Amino acid sequence: MHIPEGYLSPQTCAVMGAAMVPVLTVAAKKVNESFDKKDVPAMAIGSAFAFTIMMFNVPIPGGTTAHAIGATLLAITLGPWAASISLTIALFIQALLFGDGGILALGANSFNIAFIAPFVGYGIYKLMLSLKLNKVISSAIGGYVGINAAALATAIELGLQPLLFHTANGTPLYFPYGLNVAIPAMMFAHLTVAGIVEAVITGLVVYYLQKVDEENILYKFSYKLRGDNR
């Protein structure tokens, strides 16, 4: 899901980067209001977890790989705004030091992975809870939907490139495949492999946290950020 350098036009990168500015601005404000200084290490742990889990690639048909991102899990445990910051930091380190995702494409990758995934996943998690499903199942469903929503956004951004940016004779200047190829290819990988991995990891970690301690420190952060006094 990490978009490499050169797959998006500079114009697209600029737009996506600009879109993340208000997201991170609001996230910083929300976290500053809700987190104590002693709580900040939890966000660092979240970044480290996301960084690590995204490094484990699962082979899929077609000769490529997919991976989990941990976005919904961080949104559940830290709150979606804190998750957005943690995930963006992980993506920045990956792009800068490991070349996993382009520097210019950081805005797009952050928008997909650090904004769409945690907020969609968290929204689905809360919806499932309102339907009286338990936390483990709700979190797994949220993780599955969240990562697939991010994958769809990525596919659309890539698939629009040959339509918007091409030479006079129609030759694509950046990503060469249109929506009719980009969406099925991306969604097949995530609906069948990455989404399931994300769901399993999210559900298992939430199950573990519940088993170890219902008042686990990460849950306390989450309650505080959402105004829940439990």
Side-chain angles (χ1 to χ4, degrees):
M1 198 187 301
H2 291 66
I3 300 175
E5 213 74 271
Y7 277 51
L8 299 179
S9 69
Q11 297 93 320
T12 304
C13 292
V15 169
M16 300 306 296
M20 277 304 294
V21 171
V23 172
L24 294 175
T25 300
V26 173
K29 182 179 179 181
K30 293 281 189 181
V31 170
N32 188 54
E33 292 173 349
S34 304
F35 274 43
D36 298 325
K37 287 185 178 180
K38 66 178 183 296
D39 298 334
V40 173
M43 293 179 60
I45 294 172
S47 293
F49 173 80
F51 177 89
T52 302
I53 199 173
M54 283 190 275
M55 299 298 286
F56 288 93
N57 292 300
V58 179
I60 60 174
T64 186
T65 60
H67 57 75
I69 57 178
T72 299
L73 177 60
L74 294 189
I76 292 170
T77 55
L78 298 175
W81 293 109
S84 185
I85 294 175
S86 293
L87 288 160
T88 298
I89 292 172
L91 290 168
F92 176 75
I93 294 173
Q94 286 180 324
L96 185 65
L97 300 181
F98 296 89
D100 195 1
I103 296 294
L104 291 179
L106 180 61
N109 287 325
S110 296
F111 186 84
N112 301 331
I113 297 174
F115 177 57
I116 290 180
F119 278 89
V120 170
Y122 182 73
I124 294 298
Y125 166 74
K126 296 294 286 185
L127 176 62
M128 294 299 103
L129 287 180
S130 71
L131 297 176
K132 309 303 181 183
L133 294 180
N134 64 47
K135 287 183 178 179
V136 174
I137 295 175
S138 297
S139 64
I141 295 173
Y144 183 82
V145 176
I147 193 173
N148 277 289
L152 178 60
T154 302
I156 291 173
E157 292 156 14
L158 291 171
L160 286 175
Q161 297 307 298
L163 179 65
L164 299 176
F165 307 100
H166 52 77
T167 62
N169 65 3
T171 302
L173 293 173
Y174 303 101
F175 188 74
Y177 304 108
L179 294 169
N180 61 323
V181 174
I183 292 178
M186 182 69 74
M187 296 315 298
F188 173 77
H190 288 80
L191 287 170
T192 60
V193 179
I196 295 174
V197 174
E198 181 86 355
V200 170
I201 291 174
T202 304
L204 286 176
V205 173
V206 169
Y207 174 78
Y208 172 78
L209 292 177
Q210 284 189 295
K211 280 292 185 181
V212 171
D213 186 0
E214 181 64 28
E215 294 299 321
N216 184 279
I217 189 170
L218 293 180
Y219 276 90
K220 290 179 182 177
F221 294 148
S222 182
Y223 293 152
K224 180 163 55 177
L225 195 61
R226 299 195 300 271
D228 191 330
N229 294 322
R230 282 182 291 173

